């Protein structure tokens, strides 16, 4: 695909979304499509494992699913001290779904865009987590859940916490300002961290694809092996921070 493009055009092409509409309300079709498909794969895979679960002769797939569930449950028990049946499934969903979206970064950068071009689709970004709209969307969802649990669990105590912590009631303007900064920083940092790590990783793969063919494969393999750690780690960090934020909503100051 790079034969008829300059390096700048090639990079810009791979970092441009397939859009529907114009302006602020335009939709990134590729982000929505790939994330939905991967979400369906996640649900279908876990449903298939649950339907064929065997206590006596578990297969490799069932063992892998159970290992993931046990791992996530262990993290929830260590961090989250509240009582909610939704927190563990939420943590599991975030971890596996984000991992699958990150995993798309290991596909050859020209593979799916080339296939899409056969159907007249000029642009296709196949890594949803390199789209700031998606990562901030996830983080804002977590932020709204945190607000919900804060109000549900603390009630009047939340007002006291906002006005009185950490400097006492006489310094309530500073307390409110610090609380506002703290609350807004959570979704912004959560979304930007995931986006920044995956966007930079994708950019490096694109730059490697511009190199001569004899250097692409060895450098690509080296970066892919390192990037596997980033893929897993970023999904884990997003899940852990979500648990911490929701856990804080159950704690009195």
């Amino acid at each position: 695909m790079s034969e008829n493009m300059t390096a700048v055009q090639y990079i810009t092409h791979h970092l441009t979304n397939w859009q529907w509409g114009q302006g602020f309300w335009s939709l990134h079709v590729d982000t929505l499509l790939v994330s939905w498909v991967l979400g369906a794969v996640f649900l279908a895979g876990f449903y298939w494992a649950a339907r064929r679960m065997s206590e006596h002769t578990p297969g490799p797939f069932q063992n892998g699913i159970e290992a993931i569930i046990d791992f996530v449950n262990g993290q929830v028990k260590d961090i989250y001290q509240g009582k909610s049946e939704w927190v563990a499934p939420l943590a599991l969903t975030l971890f596996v779904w984000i991992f699958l979206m990150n995993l798309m970064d290991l596909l050859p950068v020209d593979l799916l865009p080339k296939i899409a071009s056969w159907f007249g689709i000029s642009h296709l970004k196949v890594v949803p987590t390199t789209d700031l709209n998606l990562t901030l969307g996830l983080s804002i969802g977590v932020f709204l859940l945190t607000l919900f649990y804060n109000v549900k669990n603390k009630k009047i105590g939340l007002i006291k916490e906002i006005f009185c912590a950490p400097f006492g009631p006489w310094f309530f303007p500073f307390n409110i300002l610090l609380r506002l900064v703290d609350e807004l920083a959570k979704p912004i940092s959560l979304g930007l961290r995931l986006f920044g790590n995956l966007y930079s990783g994708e950019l490096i793969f694109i730059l490697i694809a511009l190199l001569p063919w004899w250097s692409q494969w060895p450098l690509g393999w080296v970066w892919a092996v390192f990037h596997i750690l980033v893929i897993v780690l970023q999904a884990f960090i997003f899940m852990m921070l979500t648990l911490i934020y929701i856990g804080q909503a159950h704690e009195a100051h």
Side-chain angles (χ1 to χ4, degrees):
M1 293 180 66
S2 61
E3 292 179 356
N4 299 322
M5 297 183 183
T6 66
V8 173
Q9 291 173 333
Y10 181 78
I11 294 171
T12 303
H13 178 271
H14 276 285
L15 297 179
T16 302
N17 286 95
W18 173 17
Q19 296 188 20
W20 182 78
Q22 298 292 331
F24 179 80
W25 295 108
S26 63
L27 297 177
H28 289 180
V29 181
D30 44 12
T31 298
L32 294 172
L33 182 62
V34 175
S35 62
W36 289 348
V37 169
L38 293 176
V41 169
F42 161 56
L43 294 175
F46 274 66
Y47 177 79
W48 186 86
R51 293 284 293 178
R52 290 161 176 76
M53 185 176 62
S54 172
E55 296 181 4
H56 305 291
T57 57
F61 186 70
Q62 180 182 328
N63 287 332
I65 296 296
E66 290 179 350
I68 294 173
I69 293 175
D70 289 341
F71 169 73
V72 172
N73 279 332
Q75 301 303 318
V76 172
K77 290 178 181 178
D78 290 340
I79 296 174
Y80 178 72
Q81 305 302 321
K83 295 181 180 179
S84 176
E85 297 178 352
W86 292 97
V87 174
L90 171 66
L92 178 67
T93 300
L94 286 174
F95 178 73
V96 177
W97 194 25
I98 291 174
F99 169 76
L100 290 175
M101 290 190 286
N102 293 349
L103 194 64
M104 297 296 290
D105 213 2
L106 297 183
L107 293 176
V109 295
D110 286 329
L111 178 61
L112 293 183
K114 181 64 175 179
I115 295 174
S117 68
W118 298 342
F119 299 93
I121 301 172
S122 59
H123 297 92
L124 186 72
K125 282 181 67 177
V126 299
V127 188
T129 42
T130 60
D131 188 345
L132 189 58
N133 295 280
L134 183 134
T135 59
L136 285 180
L138 289 174
S139 64
I140 291 172
V142 171
F143 174 67
L144 294 177
L145 277 175
T146 303
L147 291 181
F148 169 77
Y149 280 112
N150 263 306
V151 174
K152 178 182 178 181
N153 296 311
K154 299 179 181 179
K155 299 180 175 65
I156 300 299
L158 177 61
I159 299 176
K160 179 182 177 182
E161 187 177 293
I162 293 173
F163 278 84
C164 300
F167 299 122
W170 296 108
F171 295 93
F172 71 90
F174 299 101
N175 296 332
I176 295 174
L177 179 61
L178 287 176
R179 179 71 181 224
L180 182 63
V181 172
D182 179 59
E183 292 296 333
L184 292 179
K186 290 177 181 178
I188 294 174
S189 63
L190 193 61
L192 289 179
R193 181 185 294 105
L194 178 60
F195 164 76
N197 281 278
L198 270 297
Y199 188 88
S200 60
E202 177 71 0
L203 183 57
I204 291 176
F205 276 122
I206 294 172
L207 293 175
I208 291 175
L210 288 170
L211 296 175
W213 65 267
W214 49 268
S215 62
Q216 288 181 8
W217 284 102
L219 289 176
W221 277 104
V222 170
W223 179 242
V225 171
F226 173 77
H227 202 55
I228 290 174
L229 300 176
V230 176
I231 288 171
V232 178
L233 186 61
Q234 290 306 311
F236 174 73
I237 290 174
F238 199 101
M239 178 195 72
M240 292 292 288
L241 289 177
T242 299
L243 291 175
I244 291 172
Y245 295 156
I246 294 178
Q248 288 175 345
H250 290 76
E251 299 173 355
H253 190 274

